[in-house]
Amino acid sequence: MRFDVVSIFPESLEGLLSIGVLGQARAAGMIDVRLHDLRDFTDDPHRIVDDRPYGGGAGMVMKVEPFVRAIESIQADVDTPSRVVFLSSQGKLFQHGDAIGWAGETGLILLCGRYEGVDERILEYVDEEVAIGDYVLAGGEVAAAVVVEAVSRLTPGVVGKFESVATDSFFEEGKLGAPQYTRPPEFRGAAVPEILLSGDHEKIEAFRKQAAWRKTIRNRPDLLGMDPSATGENHG
Ligand code: SAH
């Protein structure tokens, strides 16, 4: 699978996308991550990517032409057209289901805005406008890294044991994963649940299932179709 990220700060993503399972998958050629400088797709000597907003107002707006040229140049370089994703504070929320669906694509083109955002006419050239949460970031780079990480770890082979992906949060029945513990068995009076030390795999499985449900009800009742205000607590 190929990821093409278009940004005015492409170098900002290199470190993050070169570590851990992602770095290993890139080194092994399982995923191909390419970072593009949006300014390479300008056609003026000053490599300008922004301009003042029509109708007035504060700040600068990113021009549509460099993004469209970048998309066209990348699409010309791939055999099957990549899905074009615009990271935007005004997009639909990016969720687990999207990550699963996109992991089946041959490629994703990720467009990162900055400043006050991108000229709205970009929407004619994108398949998806997505936000990673209900807050405004300074730019789309962090959001693009979120999408690349979430999608690539669902790409077969990227995480060595698929079991570790399949028992993660959101996977089974849409609930959270079970809480995890490691040594020591007791830390400052807090003991690891005894069942986990018992070696009884059936009981451990049952305990984990129940703990996962409990945690989901406490932190994310919305995932179970429950009214979030109904549980009344969000701490501890
Ligand atoms: N004026 C916009 C905010 C622009 S923020 C508004 O009122 O909504 C600048 C850029 O940061 C955006 O173009 C987008 O690429 C990125 N960005 C900001 N928040 C984001 C979010 N929650 N998810 C994804 N990208 C985001």
Side-chain angles (χ1 to χ4, degrees):
M1 176 155 191
R2 175 168 157 172
F3 298 89
D4 289 274
V5 185
V6 181
S7 157
I8 56 168
F9 299 121
E11 70 285 354
S12 67
L13 288 168
E14 192 49 66
L16 206 50
L17 300 180
S18 300
I19 55 167
V21 288
L22 227 92
Q24 285 163 16
R26 284 178 78 181
M30 271 183 285
I31 56 169
D32 179 2
V33 181
R34 304 190 191 194
L35 307 173
H36 306 269
D37 188 342
L38 180 68
R39 292 189 197 278
D40 291 344
F41 301 95
T42 53
D43 62 355
D44 65 297
H46 301 292
R47 302 177 22 111
I48 289 171
V49 292
D50 60 328
D51 208 333
R52 284 169 307 185
Y54 275 121
M60 299 296 270
V61 175
M62 295 190 92
K63 295 160 67 63
V64 69
E65 312 98 293
F67 279 111
V68 171
R69 281 197 210 103
I71 295 167
E72 288 171 351
S73 152
I74 295 162
Q75 296 289 33
D77 190 45
V78 293
D79 296 333
T80 309
S82 292
R83 180 178 288 272
V84 183
V85 177
F86 168 41
L87 287 315
S88 157
S89 42
Q90 303 173 1
K92 288 192 209 151
L93 215 51
F94 172 67
Q95 291 187 321
H96 178 68
D98 301 308
I100 290 190
W102 300 354
E105 300 275 344
T106 52
L108 287 186
I109 299 174
L110 301 153
L111 310 177
C112 306
R114 278 266 153 187
Y115 315 123
E116 296 302 313
V118 183
D119 185 313
E120 191 77 358
R121 289 171 290 181
I122 189 66
L123 297 185
E124 295 284 323
Y125 303 88
V126 309
D127 300 308
E128 316 272 352
E129 180 182 16
V130 294
I132 60 160
D134 289 346
Y135 34 73
V136 177
L137 303 167
E141 289 75 13
V142 167
V146 166
V147 172
V148 174
E149 279 206 16
V151 172
S152 59
R153 67 190 295 289
L154 293 172
T155 305
V158 169
V159 174
K161 284 190 183 151
F162 195 72
E163 186 200 338
S164 74
V165 170
T167 56
D168 277 338
S169 296
F170 309 109
F171 226 95
E172 230 179 283
E173 303 162 278
K175 64 176 172 27
L176 302 179
Q180 306 276 7
Y181 300 86
T182 186
R183 287 190 290 182
E186 190 181 320
F187 176 67
R188 296 188 183 174
V192 171
E194 235 177 271
I195 282 184
L196 296 178
L197 313 177
S198 70
D200 183 333
H201 293 293
E202 230 166 79
K203 277 196 180 146
I204 290 174
E205 196 47 41
F207 167 83
R208 284 191 167 146
K209 260 209 155 108
Q210 202 194 26
W213 281 112
R214 245 186 284 132
K215 189 148 191 190
T216 309
I217 289 168
R218 191 176 69 215
N219 286 352
R220 296 295 307 276
D222 55 299
L223 292 177
L224 306 172
M226 293 163 64
D227 177 0
S229 59
T231 61
E233 55 157 341
N234 198 22
H235 307 282

